[in-house]
Amino acid sequence: MAPGRLVDEEVAWPLPTVSADQYSYEGAPRNVAYIQSLHYPKELRPKSYEIQGTHPDSQILFVDVKILEATGKLPYLGDVFIRGQRIEAIGHVPQKGILLKDPKVRVFHGKGRTLMPGLGDAHAHFSWNGSNLDRLGDIALEEHVLLTARSARCYLDSGYTMCFGAAAAKDRLDIVIRDAINAGDIPGPRYLANAKEIARTDGELVAGITAFADGPEQFEKVVSHHIDLGADQVKLSMSGEEITETRSAQDCYYTDEETAACARTAHNRGTRLCAHARARDSVKMCVKHEVDVIYHASFIDEEGMDMLEVKRNRHVVAPGINWLIATLYEAEAFGYPQSKAEKVGYKKELETAIRGLREMHRRGIVVLPGGDYGFAWTPHGTYSRDLAHFKNLLGFTAHEAIIASTFGVASLFMRSHEMGQLKEGYFADCILVDGNPLEDVEVLQDHDKLNIILINGRVHKAARSEYLPPSMATHGNNAIVPEDFPEVKATMQREI
Ligand SMILES: [Zn+2]
């Protein structure tokens, strides 16, 4: 194991030459340009999955909505027309008068509410049980499949339409749920699936959910095996985690040769890697060997920051910051008091991470929200706390936090040409929010304010009152609400 701990109590940010003012900013979202400059090699493109079931003739018209495109433009009032899976017109809808009178067009009256793209999570664990960590590995397969499906639905209920899998508790949990979502069999966000995280035998973080390898040859085999299973990306568990008390977040378990072997194997097969990399040396190894997605990066040092800045069009960082905050301040009710969390190092890690992440954002490194929901004190359904943390702690504006979660995660999917923004021709994955998320990003945490949720041009959530014209909404109990367009249903049985 490399002795990679930060010796100094303090990291170098803010740098002496940078005044604190440079971290406070209220202008146009800076990270639109950062995300646009991301450039993964073409051969690493994951499959362009499509969700089945949307009737091609389905027509939905949103009128009088405040459109938050997630392109960087400020919200504006207008209408949005959706045909089949995709947005056909935005802002000004031609022939709106005719569409309003057409009984085949489903009309939703926004009344000034905000229509924005569905959110995205860059580090999702559908198979985490929201409960006792030590028992995660003991859940029987059948129950675990159901639990994983339930989390997928919970993401969509929470306004999330894109999730990037960051490890599953069993080999194929993520993969079968992804396939079931895409087949239209179960509700859930668009998903890029992972398999188990891969650790060295001396580096396991949670019992019973890890695949093991030691030495470059074994790593090659396990990475290949996960791709054979159907994983869209492969997870390396490179550093420790303070809660284990035996494997420090400042220790990196992988060797250079092992990391290089993983990268070579995955990239040769067109697959990307993501890594649990809290330790200083694990972050540097990720950059050196092109491990595409860097999770946490808490203990990055100046050299690592410079390396990452040079390669900022090749990597994204997803800190999973809510885990640190909740473990430190909110775990007492679950038997993990703050004094204990501070003692093992979470306070120091959180402070160090915040400073590093603010500096990354200042330097144009893409930092994305999401991460590690599904533990007892980071329960499923609370995912958009990340956006508030980005705003309150990491120097993001609310608009930048939203851009990161929408446009940013669509770029992580390598599909920002058709997802993550409200634009003509893009998939109709969107949420109607009762509030202004640019002024109050916390509103996204209130499920009752997520009035309508659409994925792939289909209504996942809308109260009955949304289906009624405004004149009938108050006394419309007798109104006849026509059915949505029927789902195009395929058989559940597929080739194995
Ligand atoms: Zn995780």
Side-chain angles (χ1 to χ4, degrees):
M1 183 197 313
R5 301 191 180 197
L6 290 181
V7 180
D8 301 329
E9 273 305 299
E10 299 291 321
V11 287
W13 307 291
L15 294 169
T17 51
V18 178
S19 81
D21 286 340
Q22 283 186 251
Y23 288 99
S24 73
Y25 171 82
E26 288 176 359
R30 294 160 289 186
N31 55 346
V32 173
Y34 307 168
I35 295 163
Q36 274 166 346
S37 68
L38 270 179
H39 183 75
Y40 295 108
K42 272 203 308 291
E43 58 274 19
L44 299 187
R45 191 164 293 279
K47 288 183 194 137
S48 282
Y49 299 107
E50 297 224 357
I51 298 176
Q52 305 300 310
T54 305
H55 199 291
D57 297 330
S58 151
Q59 298 174 77
I60 295 174
L61 177 64
F62 281 94
V63 293
D64 187 24
V65 285
K66 209 183 244 184
I67 299 166
L68 173 48
E69 294 179 348
T71 57
K73 205 193 269 188
L74 284 171
Y76 56 94
L77 269 177
D79 309 312
V80 176
F81 181 58
I82 294 157
R83 188 191 296 276
Q85 303 178 346
R86 292 178 188 259
I87 297 170
E88 191 168 292
I90 183 155
H92 170 72
V93 173
Q95 314 222 292
K96 177 181 162 187
I98 296 170
L99 293 171
L100 277 170
K101 284 188 208 135
D102 184 343
K104 289 200 179 122
V105 178
R106 163 75 62 221
V107 179
F108 289 121
H109 295 266
K111 293 176 237 161
R113 288 173 290 175
T114 304
L115 190 72
M116 59 179 282
L119 300 167
D121 189 307
H123 178 138
H125 295 297
F126 285 0
S127 58
W128 275 202
N129 57 348
S131 169
N132 190 344
L133 210 58
D134 301 331
R135 304 296 306 278
L136 188 55
D138 297 338
I139 302 169
L141 178 62
E142 294 81 354
E143 282 82 359
H144 219 150
V145 175
L146 291 173
L147 186 158
T148 307
R150 192 177 65 184
S151 312
R153 179 181 182 128
C154 186
Y155 263 103
L156 190 53
D157 289 341
S158 309
Y160 279 71
T161 56
M162 300 173 283
C163 287
F164 188 90
K170 292 180 169 61
D171 278 338
R172 294 182 62 247
L173 283 173
D174 265 20
I175 292 158
V176 294
I177 293 302
R178 173 200 65 200
D179 291 348
I181 293 168
N182 291 336
D185 292 340
I186 62 169
R190 300 182 191 277
Y191 197 46
L192 292 178
N194 217 314
K196 286 176 168 178
E197 57 188 25
I198 309 171
R200 287 178 50 111
T201 47
D202 56 352
E204 182 184 46
L205 301 181
V206 179
I209 61 161
T210 307
F212 294 106
D214 290 301
E217 292 79 23
Q218 283 185 17
F219 271 100
E220 275 174 30
K221 265 194 199 136
V222 180
V223 169
S224 256
H225 176 57
H226 286 194
I227 298 169
D228 290 341
L229 291 171
D232 296 304
Q233 60 272 345
V234 173
K235 171 79 174 288
L236 311 181
S237 184
M238 295 177 75
S239 76
E241 176 73 47
E242 300 300 6
I243 205 165
T244 63
E245 296 188 31
T246 51
R247 286 156 192 153
S248 168
Q250 294 211 47
D251 292 333
C252 174
Y253 288 83
Y254 278 44
T255 64
D256 261 316
E257 293 71 29
E258 288 165 342
T259 313
C262 292
R264 196 172 51 240
T265 310
H267 291 165
N268 279 344
R269 296 191 60 185
T271 304
R272 287 179 297 173
L273 293 166
C274 55
H276 174 92
R278 296 194 181 277
R280 180 190 72 180
D281 289 352
S282 59
V283 179
K284 286 186 200 169
M285 267 186 212
C286 285
V287 180
K288 196 164 151 196
H289 301 293
E290 300 198 317
V291 173
D292 310 84
V293 182
I294 303 171
Y295 289 140
H296 313 307
S298 306
F299 292 104
I300 188 169
D301 68 358
E302 280 187 271
E303 188 189 21
M305 186 72 79
D306 291 341
M307 288 166 69
L308 190 53
E309 187 179 2
V310 170
K311 298 286 227 48
R312 68 186 174 186
N313 65 349
R314 182 67 184 78
H315 296 275
V316 302
V317 174
I321 194 78
N322 184 62
W323 163 258
L324 295 181
I325 293 162
T327 304
L328 184 55
Y329 297 118
E330 297 165 19
E332 182 136 21
F334 303 90
Y336 198 67
Q338 187 178 334
S339 53
K340 173 87 174 165
E342 281 186 27
K343 189 158 162 255
V344 302
Y346 276 109
K347 189 152 195 236
K348 183 183 178 195
E349 180 172 354
L350 177 61
E351 285 170 359
T352 309
I354 286 171
R355 294 169 69 175
L357 291 161
R358 287 168 75 95
E359 179 66 8
M360 284 180 208
H361 185 49
R362 197 185 70 79
R363 293 197 192 190
I365 294 159
V366 175
V367 182
L368 299 180
D372 282 330
Y373 291 89
F375 294 107
W377 48 87
T378 60
H380 283 292
T382 61
Y383 317 113
S384 64
R385 287 190 72 185
D386 254 71
L387 279 74
H389 296 324
F390 270 47
K391 174 178 166 281
N392 298 331
L393 300 172
L394 304 189
F396 281 62
T397 66
H399 205 169
E400 287 175 339
I402 288 168
I403 298 272
S405 181
T406 52
F407 180 41
V409 175
S411 298
L412 181 59
F413 269 65
M414 291 195 245
R415 296 178 79 181
S416 57
H417 58 286
E418 59 181 355
M419 282 162 50
Q421 293 174 324
L422 299 186
K423 280 186 178 175
E424 270 178 34
Y426 279 42
F427 283 114
D429 301 347
C430 45
I431 52 180
L432 185 73
V433 182
D434 185 8
N436 180 353
L438 294 193
E439 279 170 13
D440 171 23
V441 79
E442 276 89 355
V443 72
L444 297 169
Q445 296 175 41
D446 185 349
H447 291 198
D448 290 342
K449 298 282 173 68
L450 307 176
N451 293 158
I452 299 181
I453 298 172
L454 237 74
I455 185 162
N456 206 39
R458 290 193 65 206
V459 179
H460 170 69
K461 173 190 176 182
R464 184 176 185 274
S465 58
E466 302 287 359
Y467 289 87
L468 301 173
S471 59
M472 298 182 72
T474 50
H475 50 86
N477 277 343
N478 299 322
I480 296 163
V481 176
E483 299 270 308
D484 277 325
F485 258 84
E487 181 184 358
V488 181
K489 197 73 190 120
T491 166
M492 281 222 17
Q493 181 128 14
R494 285 186 294 283
E495 284 176 43
I496 293 168

